[in-house]
């Protein structure tokens, strides 16, 4: 059976639920138990599982953590920590919250209680964020890992690398904290894209892998089917853009439309656990300007945190508060991810990224480490970036974008992540280290890896002050570097 959580839906539709949206709060958890009572009374099920997409996926985990009658969970495009999904590294994910409130089916004034409206208002106005975080943690499955682990509830996650509502990093933390039978599938695309078509019946008679594996999980853990699920590795990653595509042609003229279709699916890699996704880390030093003010270089420095001498003793500046063509995704949300899933990843022209408002570093063309093969680097895991910077203002944002650059200077995005800093002392250095979102990406041999740092992105609320100056440097005692996970 399916049910609509309280408050969701458009007025007049039979699927619309009454009450106010509780954003996976205590009322939603209680409602989930009431639904179990209803199902047991009418259907006398032998076992009960919860499966949800997006909002329903978080509620599914929370109900299972609080109600021992739930024997298995499938959570699709989900969150583990709602607080860090919406606010992390000092940065508000404003476009995500706007999208989430827009999905409720009506205006905020009609859909939310006064208390929840106050939280949303504080978030929108960048105030009382400690209270916002506490509110998010109450609604986070990660906060109830002890209960889930005690119950041993088998839990299946399906998620995407370029997830714009619930970034993949927060889910990895929750996943690693689970001590139960578990599975994590990571796919190309964005929120709900891999599973969405199947859930709404857009492909009659066909069940694609993202849903087929979710159903297999339930068949095994609820019905006891011997379908091999108990032999699965914990992690299966789809490697970004390794699919084979062909041009779509106009049916009348036969001319290419400019779009592609996938004719051979992307490579998938299984690992026994997340800890085995990354096998080593390569450190790249960030250097100063090249000749004539060109981009700096990303210079390989070996494993660990070793950096070559040319990676220190420089400063580079840009004018903050102005967006550039280095953006994580296009708006409206999920459209870029839908195109990725269909075989059409967003193409960037790196020459159009305005270096007055950004700084960039690029490697030389990459060769396969062993001198052979088509892949220059196999990125697997969570990149980490350290920068020393200063601002002429008391606050600033740094938004890192990691790009795969082809010979013609066009690029595709590998990953990104913002960081915002407040209470800065103007013209005084601050060193920050932060993790970018996880990735599984093969950079072809001959391509270059580019790191772009600017100060704005339409996904996020930022701390940058327009027309102030941000200066990035690499002092001898705090060298700036990028750690690239490989596997």
């Amino acid at each position: 059976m399916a049910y609509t959580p309280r408050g969701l839906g458009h007025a007049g539709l039979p699927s619309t639920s009454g009450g106010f949206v509780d954003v996976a709060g205590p009322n939603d958890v209680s409602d989930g138990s009431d639904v179990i009572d209803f199902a047991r009374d009418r259907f006398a099920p032998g076992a009960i599982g919860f499966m949800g997409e997006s909002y329903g996926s978080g509620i599914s985990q929370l109900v299972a953590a609080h109600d021992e009658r739930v024997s298995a969970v499938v959570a699709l495009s989900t969150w583990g920590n709602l607080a860090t999904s919406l606010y992390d590294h000092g940065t508000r994910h404003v476009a995500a919250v706007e999208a989430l409130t827009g999905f409720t089916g009506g205006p905020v004034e009609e859909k939310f209680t006064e208390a929840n409206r106050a939280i949303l208002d504080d978030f929108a106005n960048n105030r009382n964020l400690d209270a916002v975080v506490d509110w998010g943690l109450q609604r986070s499955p990660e906060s109830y890992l002890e209960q889930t682990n005690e119950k041993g509830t088998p839990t299946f996650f399906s998620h995407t690398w370029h997830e714009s509502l619930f970034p993949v990093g927060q889910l990895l933390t929750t996943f690693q904290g689970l001590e139960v039978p578990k599975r994590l599938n990571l796919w190309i695309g964005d929120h709900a894209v891999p599973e969405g078509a199947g859930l709404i019946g857009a492909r009659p008679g066909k069940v694609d892998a993202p849903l087929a594996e979710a159903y297999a999980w339930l068949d095994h853990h609820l019905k006891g089917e011997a379908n091999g699920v108990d032999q699965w590795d914990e992690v299966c990653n789809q490697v970004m853009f390794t699919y084979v595509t062909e041009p779509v042609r106009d049916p009348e003229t036969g001319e290419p439309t400019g779009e592609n279709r996938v004719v051979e699916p992307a490579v998938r890699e299984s690992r026994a656990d997340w800890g085995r996704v990354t096998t080593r880390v390569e450190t790249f030093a960030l250097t100063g300007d090249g000749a004539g003010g060109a981009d700096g270089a990303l210079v390989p420095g070996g494993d660990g945190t070793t950096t070559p001498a040319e990676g220190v003793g420089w400063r580079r500046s840009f004018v903050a508060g102005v967006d550039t063509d280095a953006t994580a995704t296009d708006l409206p949300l999920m459209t870029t991810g839908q195109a990725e899933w269909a075989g059409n990843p967003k193409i960037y022209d790196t020459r159009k990224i305005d270096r007055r408002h950004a700084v960039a570093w690029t490697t030389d063309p990459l060769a396969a480490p062993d001198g052979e093969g088509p892949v220059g680097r196999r990125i697997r895991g969570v990149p980490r970036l350290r920068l020393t910077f200063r601002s002429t203002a008391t606050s600033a944002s740094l938004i890192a974008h990691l790009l795969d650059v082809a010979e013609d200077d066009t690029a595709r995005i590998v990953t990104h992540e913002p960081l915002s800093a407040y209470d800065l002392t103007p013209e005084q250095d601050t060193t920050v280290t932060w993790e970018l979102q996880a990735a599984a990406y093969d950079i072809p041999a001959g391509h270059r890896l580019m790191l772009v740092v600017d100060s704005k992105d339409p996904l996020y609320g930022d701390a940058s002050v327009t027309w102030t100056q941000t200066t990035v440097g690499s002092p001898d005692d705090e060298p700036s570097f990028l750690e690239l996970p490989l596997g």
Side-chain angles (χ1 to χ4, degrees), residues 299-317:
V299 181
D303 294 342
T305 56
T306 304
T307 53
E310 62 263 34
V312 297
W314 54 264
R315 292 188 187 277
R316 301 179 60 196
S317 299

Side-chain angles (χ1 to χ4, degrees), residues 3-72:
Y3 74 97
T4 304
R6 62 171 62 206
L8 289 192
H10 295 272
L13 293 180
S15 58
T16 296
S17 184
F20 293 102
V21 176
D22 200 35
V23 197
N27 290 326
D28 286 314
V29 175
S30 177
D31 290 345
S33 290
D34 289 343
V35 169
I36 294 175
D37 293 338
F38 180 93
R40 292 184 66 176
D41 180 56
R42 285 158 178 79
F43 309 123
I48 294 169
F50 263 63
M51 171 173 152
E53 173 89 69
S54 188
Y55 188 53
S57 69
I59 292 174
S60 294
Q61 294 179 74
L62 291 163
V63 173
H66 289 85
D67 195 315
E68 62 185 11
R69 296 174 293 179
V70 181
S71 297

Side-chain angles (χ1 to χ4, degrees), residues 169-193:
Q170 54 80 32
L171 185 61
L172 286 172
T173 302
T174 303
F175 179 76
Q176 290 177 278
L178 284 171
E179 299 170 355
V180 301
K182 59 185 179 180
R183 170 77 164 187
L184 172 64
N185 283 343
L186 285 166
W187 305 95
I188 296 168
D190 197 349
H191 187 77
V193 172

Side-chain angles (χ1 to χ4, degrees), residues 284-290 294-299 311 314 316 360-364:
F284 290 78
L286 279 61
T287 73
D289 288 341
D295 293 344
L298 279 173
V299 181
W314 54 264
R316 301 179 60 196
W361 297 266
T362 311
T363 65
D364 288 333

Side-chain angles (χ1 to χ4, degrees), residues 286-287 311-315 388 472-481:
L286 279 61
T287 73
V312 297
W314 54 264
R315 292 188 187 277
T388 295
V472 179
S474 188
D476 292 346
D477 57 342
E478 295 283 2
S480 295
F481 60 80

